[in-house]
Amino acid sequence: MIVPALVLAALVLGGCDSTDTTADPGTDVDAPLDGGDLAGGDDAPPPPCPFTAEQVGDLVGQPMVDKGSCSFGDGNGVALFTITTASRTAGEMTYDYKRQQAEQIYQKVTDIDQGGKGYIAAKDIEGELYVIADAGSFTVTLSSFQRLGAPDAYEQTLRRVLDALPLT
């Protein structure tokens, strides 16, 4: 049992040069998984982080500290504001799943009527904005903001964030 495991490990680590004969003739094995061409063609890459800590602070109504990777905290380890960006295609591929999850997690889920396809979800300690637009897709999560403390307050704050996002 040890010998087959060692052979497999050697092939993986050594870069086994096997030929896959299961692919259909004419299949481009170097094509990206999202279906776009290698140059980006029909889908732009994920947008960069759209806000600075100062801009996030203005949107949520309290000072925020940049924690890196488009994540911002209140400096006390409590409140957190995060943005995850992805391509438009990636956003479309995960939308149904994310929407279904939001229905199970949040008290209130509302479809948005601006910027593209998406929703705003909220509960007493957390809110989420998911939007797919020409510029890409954005997932914004706010959690543990003491000054918000209610689904309506999270929804209003996320609507301000939606208005500020660079969606085109």
Side-chain angles (χ1 to χ4, degrees):
M1 240 164 95
I2 293 175
V3 172
L6 291 174
V7 170
L8 180 61
L11 290 174
V12 170
L13 294 174
C16 175
D17 189 19
S18 67
T19 303
D20 181 7
T21 59
T22 61
D24 291 333
T27 301
D28 183 0
V29 294
D30 293 324
L33 296 176
D34 67 2
D37 66 26
L38 293 174
D42 61 342
D43 195 23
C49 185
F51 303 125
T52 64
E54 184 177 330
Q55 291 168 317
V56 170
D58 290 344
L59 290 167
V60 299
Q62 69 184 64
M64 299 298 284
V65 176
D66 189 338
K67 298 176 62 152
S69 299
C70 214
S71 180
F72 306 89
D74 64 357
N76 299 319
V78 180
L80 187 62
F81 179 109
T82 61
I83 302 173
T84 304
T85 63
S87 70
R88 184 175 31 86
T89 300
E92 288 285 350
M93 289 173 38
T94 59
Y95 179 80
D96 291 336
Y97 174 77
K98 292 287 289 177
R99 181 77 160 81
Q100 182 181 34
Q101 290 295 105
E103 290 283 346
Q104 296 174 5
I105 295 170
Y106 294 96
Q107 292 170 298
K108 182 178 180 183
V109 180
T110 307
D111 290 326
I112 60 169
D113 55 1
Q114 70 189 81
K117 180 179 181 180
Y119 63 84
I120 292 177
K123 61 183 181 179
D124 58 344
I125 61 167
E126 186 175 354
E128 178 179 275
L129 164 65
Y130 192 88
V131 62
I132 304 163
D134 290 340
S137 64
F138 300 87
T139 305
V140 180
T141 306
L142 283 76
S143 63
S144 303
F145 282 84
Q146 292 178 346
R147 63 172 288 288
L148 298 179
D152 289 340
Y154 275 98
E155 182 177 356
Q156 290 170 3
T157 302
L158 287 167
R159 288 197 179 275
R160 281 195 303 276
V161 172
L162 176 61
D163 290 340
L165 283 171
L167 299 177
T168 55

PDB file of all heavy atoms in Angstrom, residues 56 60 62-83 125-128 140-146 148 154 157-158:
ATOM      1  N   VAL A  56     -15.165  54.434   3.407  1.00  0.00           N
ATOM      2  CA  VAL A  56     -16.011  53.482   4.127  1.00  0.00           C
ATOM      3  C   VAL A  56     -16.537  54.128   5.401  1.00  0.00           C
ATOM      4  O   VAL A  56     -17.722  54.001   5.741  1.00  0.00           O
ATOM      5  CB  VAL A  56     -15.251  52.173   4.436  1.00  0.00           C
ATOM      6  CG1 VAL A  56     -16.034  51.288   5.392  1.00  0.00           C
ATOM      7  CG2 VAL A  56     -14.939  51.428   3.150  1.00  0.00           C
ATOM      8  N   VAL A  60     -20.514  54.417   6.466  1.00  0.00           N
ATOM      9  CA  VAL A  60     -21.103  53.763   7.640  1.00  0.00           C
ATOM     10  C   VAL A  60     -21.279  54.691   8.830  1.00  0.00           C
ATOM     11  O   VAL A  60     -21.897  54.319   9.823  1.00  0.00           O
ATOM     12  CB  VAL A  60     -20.296  52.508   8.068  1.00  0.00           C
ATOM     13  CG1 VAL A  60     -20.281  51.478   6.965  1.00  0.00           C
ATOM     14  CG2 VAL A  60     -18.901  52.867   8.524  1.00  0.00           C
ATOM     15  N   GLN A  62     -18.902  56.085  10.859  1.00  0.00           N
ATOM     16  CA  GLN A  62     -17.933  56.007  11.949  1.00  0.00           C
ATOM     17  C   GLN A  62     -16.556  55.733  11.352  1.00  0.00           C
ATOM     18  O   GLN A  62     -16.457  55.181  10.260  1.00  0.00           O
ATOM     19  CB  GLN A  62     -18.314  54.923  12.962  1.00  0.00           C
ATOM     20  CG  GLN A  62     -18.189  53.502  12.465  1.00  0.00           C
ATOM     21  CD  GLN A  62     -18.668  52.483  13.498  1.00  0.00           C
ATOM     22  OE1 GLN A  62     -19.840  52.473  13.831  1.00  0.00           O
ATOM     23  NE2 GLN A  62     -17.754  51.661  13.982  1.00  0.00           N
ATOM     24  N   PRO A  63     -15.496  56.126  12.044  1.00  0.00           N
ATOM     25  CA  PRO A  63     -14.147  55.918  11.519  1.00  0.00           C
ATOM     26  C   PRO A  63     -13.853  54.427  11.324  1.00  0.00           C
ATOM     27  O   PRO A  63     -14.252  53.598  12.135  1.00  0.00           O
ATOM     28  CB  PRO A  63     -13.232  56.498  12.604  1.00  0.00           C
ATOM     29  CG  PRO A  63     -14.106  57.387  13.421  1.00  0.00           C
ATOM     30  CD  PRO A  63     -15.485  56.822  13.331  1.00  0.00           C
ATOM     31  N   MET A  64     -13.146  54.115  10.239  1.00  0.00           N
ATOM     32  CA  MET A  64     -12.783  52.731   9.936  1.00  0.00           C
ATOM     33  C   MET A  64     -11.290  52.652   9.633  1.00  0.00           C
ATOM     34  O   MET A  64     -10.686  53.631   9.192  1.00  0.00           O
ATOM     35  CB  MET A  64     -13.588  52.211   8.746  1.00  0.00           C
ATOM     36  CG  MET A  64     -15.099  52.193   8.973  1.00  0.00           C
ATOM     37  SD  MET A  64     -15.643  51.130  10.325  1.00  0.00           S
ATOM     38  CE  MET A  64     -15.484  49.522   9.581  1.00  0.00           C
ATOM     39  N   VAL A  65     -10.716  51.474   9.848  1.00  0.00           N
ATOM     40  CA  VAL A  65      -9.298  51.224   9.651  1.00  0.00           C
ATOM     41  C   VAL A  65      -9.147  50.182   8.540  1.00  0.00           C
ATOM     42  O   VAL A  65      -9.841  49.162   8.543  1.00  0.00           O
ATOM     43  CB  VAL A  65      -8.658  50.700  10.964  1.00  0.00           C
ATOM     44  CG1 VAL A  65      -7.192  50.347  10.750  1.00  0.00           C
ATOM     45  CG2 VAL A  65      -8.828  51.705  12.082  1.00  0.00           C
ATOM     46  N   ASP A  66      -8.228  50.434   7.612  1.00  0.00           N
ATOM     47  CA  ASP A  66      -7.963  49.495   6.520  1.00  0.00           C
ATOM     48  C   ASP A  66      -7.222  48.284   7.071  1.00  0.00           C
ATOM     49  O   ASP A  66      -6.145  48.401   7.630  1.00  0.00           O
ATOM     50  CB  ASP A  66      -7.128  50.182   5.439  1.00  0.00           C
ATOM     51  CG  ASP A  66      -6.994  49.359   4.167  1.00  0.00           C
ATOM     52  OD1 ASP A  66      -7.170  48.125   4.224  1.00  0.00           O
ATOM     53  OD2 ASP A  66      -6.716  49.961   3.112  1.00  0.00           O
ATOM     54  N   LYS A  67      -7.822  47.100   6.916  1.00  0.00           N
ATOM     55  CA  LYS A  67      -7.212  45.857   7.392  1.00  0.00           C
ATOM     56  C   LYS A  67      -6.567  45.078   6.249  1.00  0.00           C
ATOM     57  O   LYS A  67      -6.089  43.978   6.443  1.00  0.00           O
ATOM     58  CB  LYS A  67      -8.270  45.002   8.082  1.00  0.00           C
ATOM     59  CG  LYS A  67      -8.869  45.679   9.307  1.00  0.00           C
ATOM     60  CD  LYS A  67      -9.977  44.869   9.905  1.00  0.00           C
ATOM     61  CE  LYS A  67      -9.422  43.564  10.350  1.00  0.00           C
ATOM     62  NZ  LYS A  67     -10.035  42.890  11.431  1.00  0.00           N
ATOM     63  N   GLY A  68      -6.595  45.632   5.024  1.00  0.00           N
ATOM     64  CA  GLY A  68      -6.043  44.959   3.860  1.00  0.00           C
ATOM     65  C   GLY A  68      -7.074  44.094   3.168  1.00  0.00           C
ATOM     66  O   GLY A  68      -8.098  43.737   3.745  1.00  0.00           O
ATOM     67  N   SER A  69      -6.820  43.778   1.905  1.00  0.00           N
ATOM     68  CA  SER A  69      -7.694  42.919   1.105  1.00  0.00           C
ATOM     69  C   SER A  69      -9.141  43.401   1.079  1.00  0.00           C
ATOM     70  O   SER A  69     -10.071  42.602   1.129  1.00  0.00           O
ATOM     71  CB  SER A  69      -7.642  41.470   1.598  1.00  0.00           C
ATOM     72  OG  SER A  69      -6.350  40.963   1.483  1.00  0.00           O
ATOM     73  N   CYS A  70      -9.334  44.709   1.023  1.00  0.00           N
ATOM     74  CA  CYS A  70     -10.662  45.323   0.949  1.00  0.00           C
ATOM     75  C   CYS A  70     -11.524  44.958   2.158  1.00  0.00           C
ATOM     76  O   CYS A  70     -12.714  44.680   2.046  1.00  0.00           O
ATOM     77  CB  CYS A  70     -11.350  44.969  -0.369  1.00  0.00           C
ATOM     78  SG  CYS A  70     -12.392  46.314  -0.987  1.00  0.00           S
ATOM     79  N   SER A  71     -10.903  44.939   3.312  1.00  0.00           N
ATOM     80  CA  SER A  71     -11.569  44.671   4.579  1.00  0.00           C
ATOM     81  C   SER A  71     -11.264  45.833   5.520  1.00  0.00           C
ATOM     82  O   SER A  71     -10.118  46.284   5.604  1.00  0.00           O
ATOM     83  CB  SER A  71     -11.051  43.357   5.164  1.00  0.00           C
ATOM     84  OG  SER A  71     -11.677  43.071   6.383  1.00  0.00           O
ATOM     85  N   PHE A  72     -12.296  46.297   6.213  1.00  0.00           N
ATOM     86  CA  PHE A  72     -12.149  47.472   7.070  1.00  0.00           C
ATOM     87  C   PHE A  72     -12.790  47.179   8.420  1.00  0.00           C
ATOM     88  O   PHE A  72     -13.869  46.590   8.496  1.00  0.00           O
ATOM     89  CB  PHE A  72     -12.824  48.690   6.428  1.00  0.00           C
ATOM     90  CG  PHE A  72     -12.330  48.957   5.028  1.00  0.00           C
ATOM     91  CD1 PHE A  72     -12.940  48.363   3.936  1.00  0.00           C
ATOM     92  CD2 PHE A  72     -11.236  49.780   4.803  1.00  0.00           C
ATOM     93  CE1 PHE A  72     -12.487  48.588   2.646  1.00  0.00           C
ATOM     94  CE2 PHE A  72     -10.763  50.001   3.517  1.00  0.00           C
ATOM     95  CZ  PHE A  72     -11.395  49.404   2.435  1.00  0.00           C
ATOM     96  N   GLY A  73     -12.116  47.600   9.483  1.00  0.00           N
ATOM     97  CA  GLY A  73     -12.633  47.375  10.827  1.00  0.00           C
ATOM     98  C   GLY A  73     -12.740  48.674  11.594  1.00  0.00           C
ATOM     99  O   GLY A  73     -12.210  49.709  11.186  1.00  0.00           O
ATOM    100  N   ASP A  74     -13.407  48.614  12.727  1.00  0.00           N
ATOM    101  CA  ASP A  74     -13.595  49.814  13.549  1.00  0.00           C
ATOM    102  C   ASP A  74     -12.397  50.115  14.436  1.00  0.00           C
ATOM    103  O   ASP A  74     -12.386  51.095  15.160  1.00  0.00           O
ATOM    104  CB  ASP A  74     -14.864  49.692  14.386  1.00  0.00           C
ATOM    105  CG  ASP A  74     -14.814  48.560  15.402  1.00  0.00           C
ATOM    106  OD1 ASP A  74     -13.821  47.807  15.448  1.00  0.00           O
ATOM    107  OD2 ASP A  74     -15.802  48.420  16.160  1.00  0.00           O
ATOM    108  N   GLY A  75     -11.365  49.262  14.415  1.00  0.00           N
ATOM    109  CA  GLY A  75     -10.179  49.468  15.242  1.00  0.00           C
ATOM    110  C   GLY A  75     -10.317  48.851  16.620  1.00  0.00           C
ATOM    111  O   GLY A  75      -9.358  48.815  17.388  1.00  0.00           O
ATOM    112  N   ASN A  76     -11.505  48.366  16.948  1.00  0.00           N
ATOM    113  CA  ASN A  76     -11.751  47.742  18.245  1.00  0.00           C
ATOM    114  C   ASN A  76     -12.004  46.244  18.128  1.00  0.00           C
ATOM    115  O   ASN A  76     -12.344  45.597  19.114  1.00  0.00           O
ATOM    116  CB  ASN A  76     -12.962  48.396  18.927  1.00  0.00           C
ATOM    117  CG  ASN A  76     -12.741  49.866  19.177  1.00  0.00           C
ATOM    118  OD1 ASN A  76     -11.651  50.271  19.579  1.00  0.00           O
ATOM    119  ND2 ASN A  76     -13.746  50.674  18.925  1.00  0.00           N
ATOM    120  N   GLY A  77     -11.912  45.713  16.918  1.00  0.00           N
ATOM    121  CA  GLY A  77     -12.155  44.295  16.713  1.00  0.00           C
ATOM    122  C   GLY A  77     -13.617  43.894  16.749  1.00  0.00           C
ATOM    123  O   GLY A  77     -13.930  42.731  16.966  1.00  0.00           O
ATOM    124  N   VAL A  78     -14.509  44.861  16.538  1.00  0.00           N
ATOM    125  CA  VAL A  78     -15.942  44.560  16.608  1.00  0.00           C
ATOM    126  C   VAL A  78     -16.572  44.681  15.223  1.00  0.00           C
ATOM    127  O   VAL A  78     -16.886  43.685  14.583  1.00  0.00           O
ATOM    128  CB  VAL A  78     -16.662  45.467  17.636  1.00  0.00           C
ATOM    129  CG1 VAL A  78     -18.138  45.141  17.693  1.00  0.00           C
ATOM    130  CG2 VAL A  78     -16.027  45.328  19.011  1.00  0.00           C
ATOM    131  N   ALA A  79     -16.781  45.891  14.761  1.00  0.00           N
ATOM    132  CA  ALA A  79     -17.452  46.124  13.477  1.00  0.00           C
ATOM    133  C   ALA A  79     -16.533  45.780  12.312  1.00  0.00           C
ATOM    134  O   ALA A  79     -15.333  46.045  12.357  1.00  0.00           O
ATOM    135  CB  ALA A  79     -17.905  47.568  13.381  1.00  0.00           C
ATOM    136  N   LEU A  80     -17.119  45.192  11.266  1.00  0.00           N
ATOM    137  CA  LEU A  80     -16.344  44.782  10.096  1.00  0.00           C
ATOM    138  C   LEU A  80     -17.120  45.095   8.819  1.00  0.00           C
ATOM    139  O   LEU A  80     -18.322  44.857   8.731  1.00  0.00           O
ATOM    140  CB  LEU A  80     -16.051  43.280  10.162  1.00  0.00           C
ATOM    141  CG  LEU A  80     -15.119  42.698   9.113  1.00  0.00           C
ATOM    142  CD1 LEU A  80     -13.727  43.321   9.201  1.00  0.00           C
ATOM    143  CD2 LEU A  80     -15.023  41.190   9.292  1.00  0.00           C
ATOM    144  N   PHE A  81     -16.403  45.633   7.834  1.00  0.00           N
ATOM    145  CA  PHE A  81     -16.951  45.968   6.515  1.00  0.00           C
ATOM    146  C   PHE A  81     -16.021  45.314   5.501  1.00  0.00           C
ATOM    147  O   PHE A  81     -14.840  45.640   5.450  1.00  0.00           O
ATOM    148  CB  PHE A  81     -16.945  47.494   6.351  1.00  0.00           C
ATOM    149  CG  PHE A  81     -17.461  48.017   5.039  1.00  0.00           C
ATOM    150  CD1 PHE A  81     -18.683  48.676   4.989  1.00  0.00           C
ATOM    151  CD2 PHE A  81     -16.731  47.898   3.868  1.00  0.00           C
ATOM    152  CE1 PHE A  81     -19.163  49.194   3.785  1.00  0.00           C
ATOM    153  CE2 PHE A  81     -17.201  48.406   2.659  1.00  0.00           C
ATOM    154  CZ  PHE A  81     -18.419  49.060   2.625  1.00  0.00           C
ATOM    155  N   THR A  82     -16.535  44.385   4.699  1.00  0.00           N
ATOM    156  CA  THR A  82     -15.701  43.723   3.703  1.00  0.00           C
ATOM    157  C   THR A  82     -16.348  43.797   2.328  1.00  0.00           C
ATOM    158  O   THR A  82     -17.576  43.789   2.205  1.00  0.00           O
ATOM    159  CB  THR A  82     -15.454  42.243   4.033  1.00  0.00           C
ATOM    160  OG1 THR A  82     -16.694  41.557   4.071  1.00  0.00           O
ATOM    161  CG2 THR A  82     -14.735  42.074   5.344  1.00  0.00           C
ATOM    162  N   ILE A  83     -15.496  43.871   1.315  1.00  0.00           N
ATOM    163  CA  ILE A  83     -15.958  43.857  -0.069  1.00  0.00           C
ATOM    164  C   ILE A  83     -15.163  42.774  -0.805  1.00  0.00           C
ATOM    165  O   ILE A  83     -13.936  42.751  -0.753  1.00  0.00           O
ATOM    166  CB  ILE A  83     -15.721  45.204  -0.779  1.00  0.00           C
ATOM    167  CG1 ILE A  83     -16.416  46.336  -0.034  1.00  0.00           C
ATOM    168  CG2 ILE A  83     -16.224  45.134  -2.220  1.00  0.00           C
ATOM    169  CD1 ILE A  83     -16.085  47.707  -0.580  1.00  0.00           C
ATOM    170  N   ILE A 125     -27.800  42.119  13.236  1.00  0.00           N
ATOM    171  CA  ILE A 125     -26.365  42.336  13.470  1.00  0.00           C
ATOM    172  C   ILE A 125     -25.521  42.287  12.205  1.00  0.00           C
ATOM    173  O   ILE A 125     -24.301  42.365  12.274  1.00  0.00           O
ATOM    174  CB  ILE A 125     -25.801  41.312  14.480  1.00  0.00           C
ATOM    175  CG1 ILE A 125     -25.976  39.888  13.944  1.00  0.00           C
ATOM    176  CG2 ILE A 125     -26.438  41.474  15.846  1.00  0.00           C
ATOM    177  CD1 ILE A 125     -25.191  38.843  14.707  1.00  0.00           C
ATOM    178  N   GLU A 126     -26.169  42.149  11.040  1.00  0.00           N
ATOM    179  CA  GLU A 126     -25.383  41.972   9.826  1.00  0.00           C
ATOM    180  C   GLU A 126     -26.210  42.317   8.597  1.00  0.00           C
ATOM    181  O   GLU A 126     -27.432  42.222   8.604  1.00  0.00           O
ATOM    182  CB  GLU A 126     -24.937  40.504   9.732  1.00  0.00           C
ATOM    183  CG  GLU A 126     -24.007  40.187   8.602  1.00  0.00           C
ATOM    184  CD  GLU A 126     -23.525  38.739   8.647  1.00  0.00           C
ATOM    185  OE1 GLU A 126     -23.817  38.022   9.610  1.00  0.00           O
ATOM    186  OE2 GLU A 126     -22.851  38.340   7.690  1.00  0.00           O
ATOM    187  N   GLY A 127     -25.504  42.708   7.540  1.00  0.00           N
ATOM    188  CA  GLY A 127     -26.154  42.962   6.266  1.00  0.00           C
ATOM    189  C   GLY A 127     -25.238  42.583   5.122  1.00  0.00           C
ATOM    190  O   GLY A 127     -24.006  42.549   5.274  1.00  0.00           O
ATOM    191  N   GLU A 128     -25.850  42.294   3.964  1.00  0.00           N
ATOM    192  CA  GLU A 128     -25.086  41.898   2.785  1.00  0.00           C
ATOM    193  C   GLU A 128     -25.689  42.528   1.541  1.00  0.00           C
ATOM    194  O   GLU A 128     -26.914  42.547   1.384  1.00  0.00           O
ATOM    195  CB  GLU A 128     -25.109  40.371   2.647  1.00  0.00           C
ATOM    196  CG  GLU A 128     -24.387  39.849   1.413  1.00  0.00           C
ATOM    197  CD  GLU A 128     -24.417  38.338   1.327  1.00  0.00           C
ATOM    198  OE1 GLU A 128     -23.525  37.721   1.956  1.00  0.00           O
ATOM    199  OE2 GLU A 128     -25.319  37.788   0.670  1.00  0.00           O
ATOM    200  N   VAL A 140     -20.753  42.938  -0.565  1.00  0.00           N
ATOM    201  CA  VAL A 140     -20.398  43.807   0.549  1.00  0.00           C
ATOM    202  C   VAL A 140     -21.074  43.245   1.796  1.00  0.00           C
ATOM    203  O   VAL A 140     -22.280  43.001   1.791  1.00  0.00           O
ATOM    204  CB  VAL A 140     -20.871  45.257   0.313  1.00  0.00           C
ATOM    205  CG1 VAL A 140     -20.483  46.150   1.486  1.00  0.00           C
ATOM    206  CG2 VAL A 140     -20.309  45.795  -0.999  1.00  0.00           C
ATOM    207  N   THR A 141     -20.290  43.043   2.848  1.00  0.00           N
ATOM    208  CA  THR A 141     -20.832  42.532   4.101  1.00  0.00           C
ATOM    209  C   THR A 141     -20.483  43.490   5.232  1.00  0.00           C
ATOM    210  O   THR A 141     -19.338  43.897   5.367  1.00  0.00           O
ATOM    211  CB  THR A 141     -20.251  41.143   4.422  1.00  0.00           C
ATOM    212  OG1 THR A 141     -20.475  40.279   3.311  1.00  0.00           O
ATOM    213  CG2 THR A 141     -20.898  40.548   5.646  1.00  0.00           C
ATOM    214  N   LEU A 142     -21.488  43.838   6.006  1.00  0.00           N
ATOM    215  CA  LEU A 142     -21.306  44.652   7.200  1.00  0.00           C
ATOM    216  C   LEU A 142     -21.738  43.803   8.385  1.00  0.00           C
ATOM    217  O   LEU A 142     -22.777  43.138   8.322  1.00  0.00           O
ATOM    218  CB  LEU A 142     -22.207  45.885   7.175  1.00  0.00           C
ATOM    219  CG  LEU A 142     -21.823  47.067   6.304  1.00  0.00           C
ATOM    220  CD1 LEU A 142     -22.118  46.769   4.858  1.00  0.00           C
ATOM    221  CD2 LEU A 142     -22.594  48.280   6.745  1.00  0.00           C
ATOM    222  N   SER A 143     -20.961  43.816   9.466  1.00  0.00           N
ATOM    223  CA  SER A 143     -21.377  43.064  10.644  1.00  0.00           C
ATOM    224  C   SER A 143     -20.939  43.758  11.927  1.00  0.00           C
ATOM    225  O   SER A 143     -19.914  44.428  11.973  1.00  0.00           O
ATOM    226  CB  SER A 143     -20.821  41.637  10.608  1.00  0.00           C
ATOM    227  OG  SER A 143     -19.424  41.642  10.648  1.00  0.00           O
ATOM    228  N   SER A 144     -21.780  43.599  12.937  1.00  0.00           N
ATOM    229  CA  SER A 144     -21.512  44.037  14.310  1.00  0.00           C
ATOM    230  C   SER A 144     -21.322  45.535  14.474  1.00  0.00           C
ATOM    231  O   SER A 144     -20.530  45.984  15.303  1.00  0.00           O
ATOM    232  CB  SER A 144     -20.302  43.288  14.878  1.00  0.00           C
ATOM    233  OG  SER A 144     -20.526  41.896  14.815  1.00  0.00           O
ATOM    234  N   PHE A 145     -22.058  46.341  13.705  1.00  0.00           N
ATOM    235  CA  PHE A 145     -22.034  47.790  13.882  1.00  0.00           C
ATOM    236  C   PHE A 145     -23.066  48.148  14.951  1.00  0.00           C
ATOM    237  O   PHE A 145     -24.271  48.060  14.713  1.00  0.00           O
ATOM    238  CB  PHE A 145     -22.356  48.523  12.572  1.00  0.00           C
ATOM    239  CG  PHE A 145     -21.203  48.579  11.612  1.00  0.00           C
ATOM    240  CD1 PHE A 145     -20.943  47.528  10.763  1.00  0.00           C
ATOM    241  CD2 PHE A 145     -20.372  49.693  11.568  1.00  0.00           C
ATOM    242  CE1 PHE A 145     -19.878  47.565   9.872  1.00  0.00           C
ATOM    243  CE2 PHE A 145     -19.305  49.742  10.694  1.00  0.00           C
ATOM    244  CZ  PHE A 145     -19.055  48.678   9.843  1.00  0.00           C
ATOM    245  N   GLN A 146     -22.597  48.547  16.127  1.00  0.00           N
ATOM    246  CA  GLN A 146     -23.500  48.852  17.239  1.00  0.00           C
ATOM    247  C   GLN A 146     -24.468  49.975  16.900  1.00  0.00           C
ATOM    248  O   GLN A 146     -25.620  49.949  17.301  1.00  0.00           O
ATOM    249  CB  GLN A 146     -22.709  49.206  18.489  1.00  0.00           C
ATOM    250  CG  GLN A 146     -21.953  48.023  19.049  1.00  0.00           C
ATOM    251  CD  GLN A 146     -21.126  48.394  20.257  1.00  0.00           C
ATOM    252  OE1 GLN A 146     -20.901  49.559  20.557  1.00  0.00           O
ATOM    253  NE2 GLN A 146     -20.663  47.384  20.972  1.00  0.00           N
ATOM    254  N   LEU A 148     -25.858  50.603  14.139  1.00  0.00           N
ATOM    255  CA  LEU A 148     -26.904  50.192  13.200  1.00  0.00           C
ATOM    256  C   LEU A 148     -27.958  49.360  13.935  1.00  0.00           C
ATOM    257  O   LEU A 148     -29.102  49.770  14.024  1.00  0.00           O
ATOM    258  CB  LEU A 148     -26.304  49.437  12.016  1.00  0.00           C
ATOM    259  CG  LEU A 148     -25.324  50.243  11.150  1.00  0.00           C
ATOM    260  CD1 LEU A 148     -24.775  49.398  10.020  1.00  0.00           C
ATOM    261  CD2 LEU A 148     -25.982  51.505  10.606  1.00  0.00           C
ATOM    262  N   TYR A 154     -29.227  48.547   8.627  1.00  0.00           N
ATOM    263  CA  TYR A 154     -28.259  47.886   7.747  1.00  0.00           C
ATOM    264  C   TYR A 154     -28.659  48.066   6.288  1.00  0.00           C
ATOM    265  O   TYR A 154     -27.820  48.336   5.433  1.00  0.00           O
ATOM    266  CB  TYR A 154     -28.131  46.391   8.082  1.00  0.00           C
ATOM    267  CG  TYR A 154     -27.153  46.117   9.196  1.00  0.00           C
ATOM    268  CD1 TYR A 154     -27.587  45.926  10.500  1.00  0.00           C
ATOM    269  CD2 TYR A 154     -25.790  46.062   8.950  1.00  0.00           C
ATOM    270  CE1 TYR A 154     -26.689  45.671  11.527  1.00  0.00           C
ATOM    271  CE2 TYR A 154     -24.879  45.822   9.966  1.00  0.00           C
ATOM    272  CZ  TYR A 154     -25.335  45.623  11.262  1.00  0.00           C
ATOM    273  OH  TYR A 154     -24.434  45.397  12.268  1.00  0.00           O
ATOM    274  N   THR A 157     -27.848  51.624   5.114  1.00  0.00           N
ATOM    275  CA  THR A 157     -26.405  51.797   4.940  1.00  0.00           C
ATOM    276  C   THR A 157     -25.936  51.098   3.667  1.00  0.00           C
ATOM    277  O   THR A 157     -25.147  51.661   2.895  1.00  0.00           O
ATOM    278  CB  THR A 157     -25.646  51.246   6.166  1.00  0.00           C
ATOM    279  OG1 THR A 157     -26.112  51.936   7.330  1.00  0.00           O
ATOM    280  CG2 THR A 157     -24.150  51.435   6.021  1.00  0.00           C
ATOM    281  N   LEU A 158     -26.437  49.901   3.408  1.00  0.00           N
ATOM    282  CA  LEU A 158     -26.046  49.181   2.202  1.00  0.00           C
ATOM    283  C   LEU A 158     -26.561  49.870   0.937  1.00  0.00           C
ATOM    284  O   LEU A 158     -25.918  49.815  -0.104  1.00  0.00           O
ATOM    285  CB  LEU A 158     -26.517  47.727   2.267  1.00  0.00           C
ATOM    286  CG  LEU A 158     -25.703  46.869   3.246  1.00  0.00           C
ATOM    287  CD1 LEU A 158     -26.409  45.543   3.512  1.00  0.00           C
ATOM    288  CD2 LEU A 158     -24.296  46.648   2.741  1.00  0.00           C
TER     289      LEU A 158
END
